[in-house]
Amino acid sequence: MAEVMKLDLPGSLSQVAHLREAVADTLRMLKGVEDAESICYNVQLAAQEIAVNIVEHAYKGGRDPERQRIRATLSVFQRPRRIEIELRDSGAPFNPAAMPDPALDDVHEGGYGVFLARTLLDELACERESSGNCWRLIKNIP
Amino acid sequence: MAEVMKLDLPGSLSQVAHLREAVADTLRMLKGVEDAESICYNVQLAAQEIAVNIVEHAYKGGRDPERQRIRATLSVFQRPRRIEIELRDSGAPFNPAAMPDPALDDVHEGGYGVFLARTLLDELACERESSGNCWRLIKNIP
Amino acid sequence: MMDLTVDEHLIRAAVIAPKSAIDAFSAPALRERITNLLDSGVTNLVLDLSSTPFMDSAGMSVLVMALKRSRMAGGNVRMVAPKIEAANRILKLTRFDQVFEFSASAEEALAVWRKA
Amino acid sequence: MMDLTVDEHLIRAAVIAPKSAIDAFSAPALRERITNLLDSGVTNLVLDLSSTPFMDSAGMSVLVMALKRSRMAGGNVRMVAPKIEAANRILKLTRFDQVFEFSASAEEALAVWRKA
Ligand SMILES: Nc1ncnc2c1ncn2[C@@H]1O[C@H](COP(=O)(O)OP(=O)(O)O)[C@@H](O)[C@H]1O
Ligand SMILES: Nc1ncnc2c1ncn2[C@@H]1O[C@H](COP(=O)(O)OP(=O)(O)O)[C@@H](O)[C@H]1O
């Protein structure tokens, strides 16, 4: 049995904080999690980066704010214990697996978003659906 | 044959620079000295320290400026080539050999004068005379 | 009596301590604030993240801009690490901890400059 | 939008470059000049001896006072070595070169503080 929370947000940077709140609220349903604070922070950051990319890249130059939405489904499962987040957009296809990691020998002004999400999660995928993309973020919780 | 210069100065800090000038003038009589500039600087510094000590220590609290004078005799000799400086004061006896070197593991706000004169010269002595002290400073010049 | 010159120089430092999330939404305001400081002649910045509850990669981008610009001005950035351990680990994961210099507090960061 | 504090701090440095002899006669004036700077809030001093023709132990005493007082104020003294080699050697003989920090020029001394 999964506990599920849904959000339907305008694709705007000012709205992404609501997704972070929803992550925290969803994870709070799990009791007795070790280092729950850090797990929450990491999942929030991963979701933040993917959502910001939707706004800044998938919806870049878009003219129809009505269609530029982020539909989020957040679920916690008990066996195996995990949080799954689906983020649906109406943008063009994108394959995060094709993004190389940033060079870590110096610091850069960008290019960390996909890397952070990939590194902090156990699974990150973007599937094409009829009307857009469905990002799936999975974090196992020991 | 020695070339000799004599100076008779008030025992005042404002006058000690004249002694430095006299050291330079005297050493200029020697031709073809290697590193003449550094030798001059070192002898000037040694003479400076001894003269300043006469003013600041030997003449400290003295009430008779007429008697507080520094009488300097500067001579250069050819064999062995050297400069000898005699500084006569009318102060109380003092034995510079009894002064320990300053601790060199840290820096201090005083206590370097005798050390510098002793280190920079080949001979430093203070002999008691009837009416005061006679400092003898000798620097060999290779 | 003594021939000497005395010239005074000011090293201008600013301590910037965000107390709310630095994310893609708020980062532009922080960027502008820091840019204005550097434009006005501040060369040295303390980025005090000790009370910053959250920072995403857009926030990190501002840190990098601040570092580049302050070094170009002859200065440096010193960072005070986030108290939130997870935020701290992100700085390690991205090797920001290898490039930025850290002090235990803003006061200590200023002291490092004075004492150098 | 963003909750942050920005505090400006000034690090006050002075470059002191004696162009005439620092001896027992002139040292008190130099001492007073430096004391006034430190009293007024200057914490960092560059003692630029590059153009100083002569310095006796009374002058060295002023250097030590400046070092102590600037460190007490949280600052530091950086020295620019005398161009006159013999004067330089006196600083080595007395181990002043082990306690003072040296920069190649006043500009470089200021840069060390900014870049720390
Ligand atoms: N949802 C997306 N749609 C289209 N392009 C994207 C998307 N997410 C990321 N990208 C592309 O991948 C690049 C890397 O993204 P990221 O690692 O988040 O760094 P940044 O956004 O700082 O450039 C982006 O610059 C963009 O070109
Ligand atoms: N000509 C002198 N007459 C009397 N006392 C002297 C004389 N020269 C030096 N002294 C004593 O020796 C001490 C050490 O002298 P010095 O090494 O020059 O260091 P400083 O003068 O900085 O104390 C002096 O403090 C003083 O007590």
Side-chain angles (χ1 to χ4, degrees):
Chain A
M1 257 292 297
E3 306 255 19
V4 177
M5 183 181 298
K6 285 174 187 268
L7 245 71
D8 186 343
L9 300 168
S12 147
L13 293 178
S14 66
Q15 301 303 308
V16 180
H18 295 301
L19 179 61
R20 299 208 300 270
E21 284 309 310
V23 167
D25 291 342
T26 303
L27 280 170
R28 228 172 270 123
M29 296 174 195
L30 298 175
K31 300 296 170 203
V33 174
E34 224 180 286
D35 206 6
E37 222 177 293
S38 287
I39 289 173
C40 178
Y41 189 97
N42 288 342
V43 176
Q44 284 182 315
L45 181 54
Q48 169 83 20
E49 296 295 341
I50 298 304
V52 167
N53 276 353
I54 290 172
V55 175
E56 292 197 325
H57 301 303
Y59 289 164
K60 190 180 173 179
R63 303 256 163 92
D64 185 359
E66 289 290 300
R67 290 199 60 239
Q68 302 203 334
R69 300 199 65 89
I70 299 177
R71 270 173 291 269
T73 307
L74 303 95
S75 324
V76 288
F77 297 89
Q78 288 297 346
R79 261 172 293 267
R81 193 155 72 161
R82 67 194 186 277
I83 180 169
E84 290 195 14
I85 303 169
E86 289 176 347
L87 298 176
R88 287 190 170 76
D89 67 48
S90 61
F94 176 70
N95 175 18
M99 291 298 309
D101 283 349
L104 294 177
D105 55 331
D106 198 0
V107 294
H108 316 281
E109 290 197 48
Y112 291 103
V114 170
F115 166 72
L116 284 174
R118 194 150 58 196
T119 307
L120 297 173
L121 298 170
D122 291 295
E123 215 183 297
L124 174 70
C126 181
E127 280 163 36
R128 190 62 194 171
E129 294 183 340
S130 55
S131 59
N133 303 299
C134 176
W135 289 83
R136 182 188 306 275
L137 292 67
I138 303 181
K139 177 74 178 171
N140 295 326
I141 293 160
Chain B
M1 259 292 298
E3 306 255 20
V4 177
M5 183 180 298
K6 286 174 186 268
L7 245 72
D8 186 342
L9 301 168
S12 149
L13 294 178
S14 66
Q15 301 302 309
V16 180
H18 296 302
L19 179 60
R20 300 208 299 269
E21 284 309 310
V23 168
D25 292 344
T26 304
L27 280 170
R28 226 171 272 125
M29 295 173 196
L30 298 175
K31 300 298 168 201
V33 175
E34 224 179 288
D35 206 6
E37 222 177 295
S38 287
I39 289 173
C40 179
Y41 189 98
N42 289 341
V43 176
Q44 283 181 316
L45 181 53
Q48 169 82 19
E49 296 295 340
I50 298 305
V52 167
N53 276 353
I54 291 171
V55 176
E56 292 197 326
H57 301 303
Y59 289 162
K60 191 180 173 178
R63 302 259 164 88
D64 185 358
E66 288 292 299
R67 290 197 62 240
Q68 302 204 333
R69 301 199 64 90
I70 299 176
R71 269 173 294 270
T73 308
L74 303 94
S75 324
V76 288
F77 298 89
Q78 288 296 346
R79 263 171 293 265
R81 195 157 69 161
R82 66 193 187 277
I83 180 170
E84 290 195 16
I85 303 169
E86 289 176 347
L87 299 175
R88 287 190 169 77
D89 67 46
S90 61
F94 175 69
N95 175 18
M99 290 300 309
D101 284 348
L104 293 178
D105 55 330
D106 198 2
V107 295
H108 317 281
E109 291 197 47
Y112 292 102
V114 170
F115 165 73
L116 284 174
R118 193 153 58 199
T119 308
L120 296 173
L121 298 170
D122 291 294
E123 214 183 299
L124 174 70
C126 180
E127 279 162 35
R128 190 63 193 169
E129 294 183 340
S130 54
S131 59
N133 303 299
C134 176
W135 289 84
R136 181 188 307 276
L137 293 65
I138 303 180
K139 177 75 178 171
N140 295 325
I141 294 158
Chain C
M1 188 151 82
M2 180 147 205
D3 177 12
L4 88 168
T5 62
V6 177
D7 294 306
E8 278 211 47
H9 296 260
L10 295 177
I11 298 173
R12 290 180 57 193
V15 177
I16 298 144
K19 320 274 186 186
S20 59
I22 318 175
D23 61 12
F25 182 57
S26 64
L30 179 62
R31 177 180 297 268
E32 197 192 340
R33 196 73 186 265
I34 290 175
T35 301
N36 288 345
L37 287 167
L38 292 163
D39 285 347
S40 80
V42 168
T43 55
N44 289 50
L45 298 173
V46 181
L47 299 178
D48 181 353
L49 304 180
S50 60
S51 301
T52 307
F54 183 83
M55 181 168 60
D56 70 4
S57 67
M60 295 167 70
S61 163
V62 177
L63 307 188
V64 176
M65 176 282 293
L67 182 68
K68 283 189 189 166
R69 286 221 31 199
S70 97
R71 287 195 177 160
M72 254 173 21
N76 199 9
V77 167
R78 297 197 74 87
M79 205 123 97
V80 180
K83 273 209 209 75
I84 292 180
E85 189 43 37
N88 216 356
R89 278 204 290 264
I90 301 301
L91 295 177
K92 295 200 171 89
L93 182 63
T94 50
R95 309 273 169 86
F96 272 51
D97 64 328
Q98 302 292 307
V99 174
F100 284 85
E101 275 154 301
F102 285 77
S103 293
S105 66
E107 265 320 301
E108 282 193 27
L110 294 165
V112 166
W113 289 321
R114 284 205 189 85
K115 284 181 180 158
Chain D
M1 188 150 82
M2 181 148 203
D3 178 12
L4 88 169
T5 61
V6 176
D7 294 307
E8 277 210 50
H9 296 260
L10 296 177
I11 299 174
R12 289 180 58 194
V15 177
I16 298 143
K19 320 274 187 184
S20 59
I22 318 176
D23 62 12
F25 182 57
S26 65
L30 179 62
R31 179 182 296 267
E32 197 192 341
R33 195 73 186 265
I34 290 176
T35 302
N36 289 344
L37 286 167
L38 292 163
D39 286 346
S40 80
V42 168
T43 55
N44 288 48
L45 298 173
V46 182
L47 300 178
D48 180 353
L49 304 180
S50 58
S51 300
T52 307
F54 182 84
M55 181 169 61
D56 71 4
S57 68
M60 295 167 70
S61 163
V62 177
L63 307 187
V64 176
M65 175 282 293
L67 183 68
K68 282 189 189 164
R69 287 219 32 201
S70 96
R71 288 195 179 161
M72 255 171 23
N76 199 8
V77 167
R78 298 197 73 87
M79 205 124 97
V80 180
K83 273 208 208 77
I84 291 179
E85 189 43 38
N88 216 358
R89 278 203 292 264
I90 300 302
L91 296 177
K92 295 199 170 92
L93 181 63
T94 50
R95 308 273 168 86
F96 272 51
D97 64 328
Q98 303 291 307
V99 175
F100 284 85
E101 276 155 301
F102 285 78
S103 293
S105 67
E107 266 320 302
E108 282 192 29
L110 294 165
V112 166
W113 290 320
R114 284 205 189 86
K115 285 181 181 160

